[in-house]
Amino acid sequence: MSALTVGVIGIVVFIVLIFLGMNIGLALLLVGFAGYAAVVNPVAAFALLRTDPATQASTYTMMVVPLFILMGNFAFQAGMSRGLYECANKWLNKLPGSLACATVAACAGFGAICGSCAATCATMGTISIPEMRRYGYKDRLATGSVAMGGTLGVLIPPSTPMVFIAIMAECSIGKLFVAGVLPGIMMAALCLLTIVILVKLDPEAAPSDQTFTWKERLVSLKGLIGVIILFGAVLGGMFSGIFSVSQASAIGAFLAWVIMAINMAIRREFTWKGLWEKTKEGMWTTIRTFAMTFLVIIGADIFCKFLTITNIPMTLAAYIGGLHVSRYVILALMTVVYLFLGMIMDELPMIMLTVPIFWPIAQALGFDVIWFGVYVILTMELGAISPPVGLNCFIISGIAKDVPLSTIYKGALPFMLTIFAGIILLAAFPQIALFLPNLMNG
């Protein structure tokens, strides 16, 4: 049996294991190990299994992931999510469907300090869905806006999936972070436009909301202070070159902890015991999350080494590079593949499965590595809300238990078209993603 055949079988087995519900990291590890043993030999596979965890753990950039997770946990403990939502609600109340618009805006803001699609969706959904339903919003609009807003958590930096892509594609994490800023703003604006259009077409979907005075709006701006400090320190420091990505993650985690303590003091809830409990909870959550993430990273690296020795990525790249069609036709086919994969798995296994295969193809077609990373993240958003899996839709189903999953999917459908529009704009105007990284080069 040829190495190429073993590689194809490995990919099929991996997809089947994910579909059956196996842990992502274990599926990657099992298939990668077995495939490597079949193509090379079992001794080499065991040697890889023995050395790879230590190699990954000693990687300098690996400290970025737990520290950004810790920053997001401390930001959640500080109550930044509710302050963001209240501020967005008061300033966007003139727009049709203002509570849904506020949800998307708050998700964008929380994504800037969280970096997780699921965490953004769960946090903002818990706050906003009961509020929208209390004001008579239709379940379809309420749940759809949260599902879409949650996807912004992986596009607006810092983003955990971006770290994975940067490691696998061997590109700059800092530049990829910065490249996500303008596309993130663009997608948030497109989401707001989508909500306005939906409400214009169906005014009963979002009854008129409450009104606020200018004083109330100005007072609500205090909810943005913590986010501005964190986002400015992390992204501003990286953009200006004052400190590296690893240093930015450590500074961000520390600042989030300080803001958490200050907010406790402002609310007159501060005690040393209370601060310790919140710190401990944030750290234990980070440890549990990173343990699962690290297993995925180890499994993905072994799986990528298996794919490399089968020569599948290079064979595909050579074949597609020889096709006499526009590279944008091939990009459209990649998007269709991501849409299909999004129906059966969430974003992490999609990244692990597709980046080793698609990245050589993108190189052969002449696409910029940073631009391609943002494109992959944008297509990941499709997978987060597309049926029959749609991780965000399942999270919302757990929050609004009395809303049928079919209703949530119907609510997410218009926003899938929004993501397609974003992908088209990104392909037509690549400087949307490359403008800020090019400034860093300068």
Side-chain angles (χ1 to χ4, degrees):
M1 188 182 296
S2 68
L4 195 65
T5 304
V6 175
V8 172
I9 293 173
I11 292 172
V12 172
V13 171
F14 170 70
I15 293 174
V16 171
L17 291 177
I18 291 297
F19 189 74
L20 293 175
M22 178 178 279
N23 177 275
I24 299 168
L26 287 176
L28 288 165
L29 188 62
L30 178 63
V31 174
F33 172 79
Y36 203 91
V39 175
V40 185
N41 58 63
V43 175
F46 275 109
L48 184 65
L49 190 63
R50 184 178 66 251
T51 59
D52 195 77
T55 301
Q56 291 298 323
S58 61
T59 304
Y60 179 70
T61 55
M62 194 51 59
M63 72 176 70
V64 170
V65 179
L67 287 172
F68 275 132
I69 294 173
L70 183 62
M71 184 182 79
N73 285 326
F74 283 157
F76 173 74
Q77 294 291 336
M80 291 187 196
S81 54
R82 180 163 292 279
L84 274 169
Y85 180 72
E86 291 176 354
C87 180
N89 183 30
K90 287 180 172 63
W91 281 90
L92 298 176
N93 74 304
K94 295 297 183 182
L95 291 176
S98 61
L99 283 176
C101 292
T103 298
V104 169
C107 285
F110 192 71
I113 54 175
C114 176
S116 167
C117 181
T120 302
C121 184
T123 302
M124 300 312 305
T126 303
I127 296 170
S128 61
I129 289 178
E131 192 73 7
M132 283 189 277
R133 298 182 78 184
R134 185 164 70 90
Y135 278 92
Y137 277 57
K138 286 187 177 180
D139 290 337
R140 193 161 56 183
L141 178 61
T143 56
S145 60
V146 176
M148 179 61 213
T151 65
L152 299 176
V154 297
L155 183 59
I156 298 176
S159 164
T160 303
M162 277 188 178
V163 176
F164 292 154
I165 291 174
I167 291 172
M168 298 179 72
E170 297 182 349
C171 65
S172 167
I173 297 176
K175 288 184 179 180
L176 190 54
F177 275 0
V178 173
V181 175
L182 292 183
I185 294 172
M186 176 191 72
M187 289 307 303
L190 288 175
C191 289
L192 296 183
L193 179 60
T194 302
I195 291 170
V196 170
I197 292 173
L198 291 174
V199 175
K200 289 290 186 181
L201 294 174
D202 183 13
E204 293 183 359
S208 299
D209 303 319
Q210 68 272 46
T211 57
F212 301 98
T213 64
W214 277 103
K215 180 180 179 180
E216 290 174 312
R217 290 174 180 169
L218 293 172
V219 170
S220 71
L221 290 175
K222 65 182 180 182
L224 297 180
I225 295 175
V227 177
I228 292 173
I229 291 173
L230 278 182
F231 190 75
V234 173
L235 262 251
M238 288 190 296
F239 186 81
S240 62
I242 297 176
F243 39 73
S244 67
V245 178
S246 300
Q247 292 168 334
S249 63
I251 291 170
F254 175 72
L255 285 177
W257 180 83
V258 171
I259 293 169
M260 178 181 71
I262 293 173
N263 283 355
M264 289 177 65
I266 291 173
R267 295 194 298 264
R268 298 182 180 179
E269 298 173 355
F270 183 87
T271 62
W272 288 110
K273 182 179 180 181
L275 179 61
W276 166 245
E277 290 298 324
K278 285 184 177 292
T279 303
K280 184 172 68 172
E281 184 176 350
M283 294 183 73
W284 272 116
T285 303
T286 300
I287 291 170
R288 288 193 296 268
T289 303
F290 182 67
M292 294 185 291
T293 304
F294 190 53
L295 178 60
V296 171
I297 292 171
I298 294 171
D301 191 66
I302 293 176
F303 185 76
C304 288
K305 285 182 171 63
F306 160 58
L307 288 183
T308 300
I309 62 171
T310 63
N311 227 23
I312 286 180
M314 286 65 76
T315 303
L316 273 175
Y319 173 75
I320 293 177
L323 295 176
H324 298 291
V325 296
S326 169
R327 63 178 185 167
Y328 294 104
V329 173
I330 298 172
L331 191 69
L333 293 176
M334 288 184 187
T335 305
V336 172
V337 171
Y338 276 116
L339 179 61
F340 171 74
L341 291 178
M343 295 178 181
I344 59 174
M345 63 180 72
D346 59 35
E347 67 265 18
L348 279 184
M350 274 196 286
I351 290 173
M352 305 310 172
L353 178 63
T354 60
V355 170
I357 297 173
F358 285 171
W359 168 229
I361 296 173
Q363 278 185 311
L365 295 173
F367 287 112
D368 185 273
V369 59
I370 300 297
W371 179 92
F372 184 73
V374 175
Y375 159 79
V376 171
I377 290 293
L378 200 52
T379 54
M380 294 297 100
E381 294 186 356
L382 276 175
I385 62 175
S386 61
V389 176
L391 178 62
N392 281 14
C393 296
F394 276 104
I395 291 172
I396 293 168
S397 180
I399 296 171
K401 295 183 173 20
D402 57 333
V403 179
L405 192 58
S406 59
T407 300
I408 300 173
Y409 282 134
K410 289 177 183 176
L413 185 60
F415 294 101
M416 291 180 66
L417 300 177
T418 304
I419 297 174
F420 275 120
I423 292 172
I424 292 171
L425 287 172
L426 188 68
F429 306 101
Q431 284 301 313
I432 295 174
L434 298 178
F435 176 71
L436 291 181
N438 288 341
L439 288 183
M440 291 179 69
N441 289 337

